Amino acid sequence: MHIGVPLETRPGETRVAVIPAGAAALKKAGLEVLVEHEAGASAGFPDDAYRQQGASIVDRAALFADADVLLT
């Protein structure tokens, strides 16, 4: 199952649904984690932090096409 984490688009929103440590926990549970490019940037989590935890960084189109579940 693919879990998707999109970039929040509401003006002024700085939160992200999953932090890198959460991505690691989801991977450990056997799930694939897809994170939209720069989804965590405004919360202080660069793409590389998600990559280091096993998440894949994807563009918005790929995220919505491939994710089975979206976390926002």
Side-chain angles (χ1 to χ4, degrees):
M1 178 173 283
H2 293 88
I3 303 299
V5 182
L7 173 68
E8 298 292 342
T9 58
R10 186 179 188 115
E13 182 61 76
T14 60
R15 295 176 291 182
V16 62
V18 176
I19 64 171
L26 292 169
K27 288 288 292 181
K28 186 175 181 180
L31 302 169
E32 293 299 319
V33 181
L34 307 174
V35 178
E36 183 178 356
H37 172 64
E38 295 194 354
S42 63
F45 302 110
D47 288 347
D48 282 340
Y50 288 97
R51 282 189 193 99
Q52 290 172 0
Q53 299 302 321
S56 298
I57 304 300
V58 298
D59 65 27
R60 193 166 187 85
L63 180 81
F64 282 94
D66 297 337
D68 298 303
V69 175
L70 293 174
L71 302 180
T72 62

